Amino acid sequence: NKAEKAAANSSNKIYNGSAGIDLNSLDTSLNYTVSCDIFSVKLPNYWKQYATVEKTQDGIDFYDKISQDHGYPGWLFAIEIWTYDDTYSYLPRYQYLGTMTSPEGETYDLIYTGPTDADFWLEIVDFHYKMDSESSRIFKTITGINGWTFVPA
C-alpha cells in the first residue's frame, strides 16, 4: 500500500542514526514550561516535539516520544517529591535536588530518578542520551507553585 511505503520511507529518513536529527541544530533554549500541582520546570524548546510529559500525584515523568512511537517506554527521568516512609537512597539512579515545602509547612525531598536499563529505541541512542543530558540544566529551573516553595540543594 502506498501510504505504508510512504510512512516507512519517511520513518527511515527521520529515524536513522541520531534519529535523523541534527543534534546541533535543536533549539535548546529553556522556554518550554510544564508544571504539576507542586512545581514548574522549563524544558528545552525542542522537547515540545520530542518529549511526552506525564504529570503524577508527586511530580512529573519525562519520556522520549520517538521511542514511545516505536513501542518502547522511552522513560528519561522523573522529578518528584518523595512522600514514602522509606528512604530513596536504595534507588540505583537518583539525585537529591532540594527541599519542597508545602503551603502547610510540611517539607519533602525533591528527587530525580532515572532508568538503569535501556528502555528506548536503540536506533536513536544518541538522541535519547542528548535528551537525558539536558536534565542538569532543567533542574536549575524548578520553581515551587501553588503555595509550594523550593530550595535547591
Side-chain angles (χ1 to χ4, degrees):
N1 150 340
K2 280 187 177 182
E4 288 174 331
K5 283 185 180 180
N9 287 338
S10 171
S11 180
N12 288 338
K13 290 178 186 171
I14 295 170
Y15 304 119
N16 59 2
S18 293
I21 299 165
D22 178 358
L23 300 181
N24 295 317
S25 69
L26 295 170
D27 181 359
T28 60
S29 55
L30 298 172
N31 294 320
Y32 172 38
T33 303
V34 297
S35 62
C36 60
D37 293 338
I38 302 166
F39 61 87
S40 68
V41 63
K42 292 182 180 182
L43 307 174
N45 279 342
Y46 75 91
W47 282 41
K48 288 178 191 174
Q49 181 178 355
Y50 296 114
T52 301
V53 176
E54 290 185 7
K55 299 171 189 176
T56 67
Q57 179 178 346
D58 299 324
I60 305 173
D61 287 334
F62 302 91
Y63 299 86
D64 130 28
K65 191 182 292 186
I66 295 172
S67 290
Q68 288 184 320
D69 290 346
H70 284 83
Y72 296 87
W75 185 50
L76 290 163
F77 58 89
I79 300 173
E80 58 190 352
I81 59 170
W82 196 257
T83 58
Y84 311 105
D85 292 338
D86 231 353
T87 179
Y88 51 81
S89 62
Y90 71 89
L91 297 171
R93 189 169 172 217
Y94 79 93
Q95 179 180 344
Y96 169 74
L97 301 176
T99 302
M100 294 292 308
T101 303
S102 74
E104 297 77 31
E106 298 168 329
T107 59
Y108 301 93
D109 290 347
L110 188 70
I111 65 164
Y112 151 94
T113 56
T116 57
D117 297 326
D119 65 351
F120 56 89
W121 188 38
L122 293 177
E123 294 294 319
I124 62 159
V125 64
D126 293 340
F127 181 69
H128 183 87
Y129 284 136
K130 174 167 182 54
M131 290 185 79
D132 183 63
S133 73
E134 300 281 8
S135 61
S136 60
R137 290 181 347 124
I138 292 168
F139 300 157
K140 294 175 184 173
T141 70
I142 297 169
T143 304
I145 60 172
N146 298 325
W148 286 78
T149 58
F150 175 63
V151 177

